[in-house]
Amino acid sequence: MQTITETIPLPNSALRESLLHDRFGRVFSYLRIAVNERCNLRCIYCMPPEGVDFQSKKELLTTREINRIVGVASTLGISKIRFTGGEPLLHPHIVSLVGTAVKTPGIESVHLTTNGLLLRETAEALRQAGLHGINISFDTLDNTKFKTITRKEGLPVVLEGLELALMLEFPDVKVNVVAMRGFNDDEITDFVELTREHPLTVRFIELMPFDSHQIWKTGKFYQAEHLISDLTTLYPDLTPVNGSSTEHCVFQHPGYRGKIAVIPAYSRNLCSGCTRVRLTADGYIRNCLYSHREYNLREILRNDGTDREIADLFKTAMWNKLADGWEAQRRGEEHRESMTQIGG
Ligand code: SF4
């Protein structure tokens, strides 16, 4: 396996060019920022019961550093921010992070992905801070199965959080469901029926191998194409509709208020249109979910680095992005074993 060590320097033209782009002509406008690694669940496709080797507080980016990065990124054509984690609602300043990002010139929308356990307490403040979109991750509507998958109780609390998010009318409410064979493939209908009365999008997401070596190799992978075929068999009247750039196939059932989307997160057949940049909680830029090559932004921030140096590192990182997630995975050894260390 040829591990990537060399960095392709930016040709002068790209250096002058303000937008973030790569050698394949893709332009990046969407920054996903992990604000922490800790989580109040222990999902079997993410981390073991004892957790992972969490970084210490001083290794994680501070609120001030995150705000500065959002400011610089907004000058590079980043217009969409998503806060992730770990569980971002555990972050003590998440509402102010959202508020600052919303007020940053150039940022058009701010989103957050949560497991929903703390949403009842924070939804109102997030709405007032101007949060545009909220994705709530839960993979079953069955209490017992919820405990099996997360190793914790809490489904009723999560569903209350969802109800509150709908009541507060966030412009964009989504439910993220990791689709797994032999676990929730019998709940497709139950999830689709959530879209009958509610203006939300149910997103069925392929399982990914960032599971701390727990279930990836246990036959639970449910490929997007198979899921789409099962979905359209169960609901022959589903109509293709528009969705966001990360959604492969988006459908709506006639007469239903919401949508259903399928995300080929492992099959990776969306890479040609990728718009995403990732920032880990400890301050590394990842130019692809599957890339092992990371760019140390924290070092620049903590050595009196200028905004220009921050911008140049973003540009260098994206200029070095590989054609797709398959090539990124092939070219190196993954050192982050859990999705909570990457930020999703
Ligand atoms: S696998 Fe990498 S290149 Fe492909 S869509 Fe995901 S982040 Fe983008």
Side-chain angles (χ1 to χ4, degrees), residues 4-10 293-295 313 316-317 319-320:
I4 301 180
T5 51
E6 77 284 355
T7 294
I8 303 164
L10 288 168
R293 185 87 176 66
E294 297 183 344
Y295 300 79
L313 190 71
T316 302
W319 187 252
N320 281 271

Side-chain angles (χ1 to χ4, degrees), residues 37-43 47 86-90 114-119 150-153 340:
E37 293 182 332
R38 291 189 184 272
C39 185
N40 43 7
L41 290 179
R42 290 289 182 273
C43 298
M47 62 172 136
E87 169 48 44
L89 297 185
L90 285 170
T114 171
N115 63 29
L117 276 180
L118 297 171
L119 198 47
T150 66
R151 298 187 177 103
K152 300 270 173 92
E153 306 277 358
T340 203

